Amino acid sequence: MGPGAAFFDLDRTVIATSSALAFARPFYRDGLLNRRDVVASGYTQAVYKLAGAGDEQMARIRDQLATMSRGWPVDQVRRIVAGAIDELIAPYVYAEALVLIEQHRAAGRDIVLVSSSGEEMVRPIARLVGADDVIATRMAIRDGRFTGEVDFYAAGESKAEAVRELATRNGYDLATCYAYSDSVSDVPLLSTVGYPTVVNADRGLRRVARERQWPLLAFRNPVPTPLTRIRYVLSRPPGGSLVPMAAIVTAGAAVTAAIWYARRRRPTARIEPAPQRPGA
């Protein structure tokens, strides 16, 4: 059996915002959204922040985003996300989440983001925070454009099923794996692993956590933009533009500051090392 994994929900667990709705402004600026779409997205975002997202709310978000994205060029969406991630996502990454990610990595586990947001948004965020893989919503694409249909919606039981499939492919023992989430809709995900932890829980999940005696954490400290920016810059695929030497020097300073910052806010949850394989 291979090493385990740590599965992180994204919104309000790793970042203090909604990844799917955070890009409404640049989408509007580039002509993908109209004013009515922006207002609807803003309303959904407000409801999300105030009440969390249960199954019914998540289904409405899915249908809204699928309808709005019909006909969007996929390459344009990817360019917008890449260009706006520094401003719209990086300032909202929780320091506590980054510390946990590094602790799990040091213990030999893979890091997987599991999000109902679209894969085109989640993969760049995964590079930003140092995740190895993602499970995310996949929109149907035809001739380089979104059709408005959803091939796979990563929410509720579907998240848990995707985690089980990934575990089978990668040889994870789910009994030794960890999962983190804020939403009651992720009870199936949390129930799939041996070590579930609740982060910034909504009311429904807090109740379930108390009943099942799951640990509860509160993340409150987003990392300053430069501390997450550096991870994103250095993780860009080979073949991209060369990083100037001045940026690398700045990167070293940022990494040093990030380590200092994270250690001061190290979460109390204890992360056990991955079990050794027989004969290792």
Side-chain angles (χ1 to χ4, degrees), residues 18-236:
S18 164
S19 53
L21 302 177
F23 296 98
R25 180 158 49 91
F27 286 167
Y28 172 74
R29 181 197 61 212
D30 284 28
L32 296 182
L33 294 177
N34 57 38
R35 290 183 180 274
R36 185 166 64 177
D37 292 333
V38 172
V39 170
S41 297
Y43 173 77
T44 304
Q45 174 83 321
V47 172
Y48 174 85
K49 286 184 176 180
L50 290 172
D55 290 341
E56 185 176 345
Q57 176 69 5
M58 292 300 295
R60 284 199 295 268
I61 294 173
R62 174 201 62 198
D63 294 342
Q64 180 188 49
L65 294 176
T67 299
M68 287 191 302
S69 67
R70 184 179 296 122
W72 288 3
V74 177
D75 286 346
Q76 183 180 4
V77 170
R78 289 171 179 164
R79 286 195 301 270
I80 292 172
V81 171
I85 196 169
D86 286 350
E87 175 189 359
L88 301 178
I89 300 297
Y92 298 97
V93 177
Y94 286 120
E96 297 93 335
L98 288 181
V99 172
L100 276 175
I101 287 171
E102 293 306 323
Q103 288 180 343
H104 281 296
R105 184 176 302 285
R109 298 186 185 90
D110 291 340
I111 310 300
V112 183
L113 292 189
V114 188
S115 174
S116 60
S117 294
E119 189 170 15
E120 289 74 19
M121 302 174 190
V122 178
R123 286 206 178 274
I125 297 173
R127 292 201 304 272
L128 179 73
V129 302
D132 301 292
D133 204 351
V134 306
I135 293 170
T137 293
R138 297 190 300 274
M139 308 296 292
I141 298 171
R142 184 179 299 117
D143 299 326
R145 294 177 179 268
F146 294 115
T147 67
E149 299 175 346
V150 180
D151 282 341
F152 171 72
Y153 186 47
E157 180 58 39
S158 295
K159 272 190 181 182
E161 180 59 31
V163 164
R164 288 190 288 268
E165 291 175 359
L166 184 65
T168 299
R169 291 197 302 271
N170 290 354
Y172 301 144
D173 178 3
L174 286 173
T176 69
C177 289
Y178 289 69
Y180 301 85
S181 180
D182 70 291
S183 174
V184 69
S185 65
D186 279 340
V187 168
L189 166 66
L190 293 166
S191 301
T192 300
V193 302
Y195 298 96
T197 298
V198 172
V199 176
N200 297 342
D202 61 26
R203 183 178 302 176
L205 183 55
R206 185 173 294 274
R207 181 171 59 251
V208 173
R210 287 171 176 164
E211 292 171 354
R212 303 190 185 188
Q213 297 185 330
W214 288 345
L216 290 95
L217 297 177
F219 292 174
R220 295 289 184 265
N221 300 290
V223 176
T225 304
L227 305 186
T228 45
R229 163 69 178 166
I230 184 53
R231 186 193 295 277
Y232 184 66
V233 169
L234 296 183
S235 67
R236 285 178 178 170

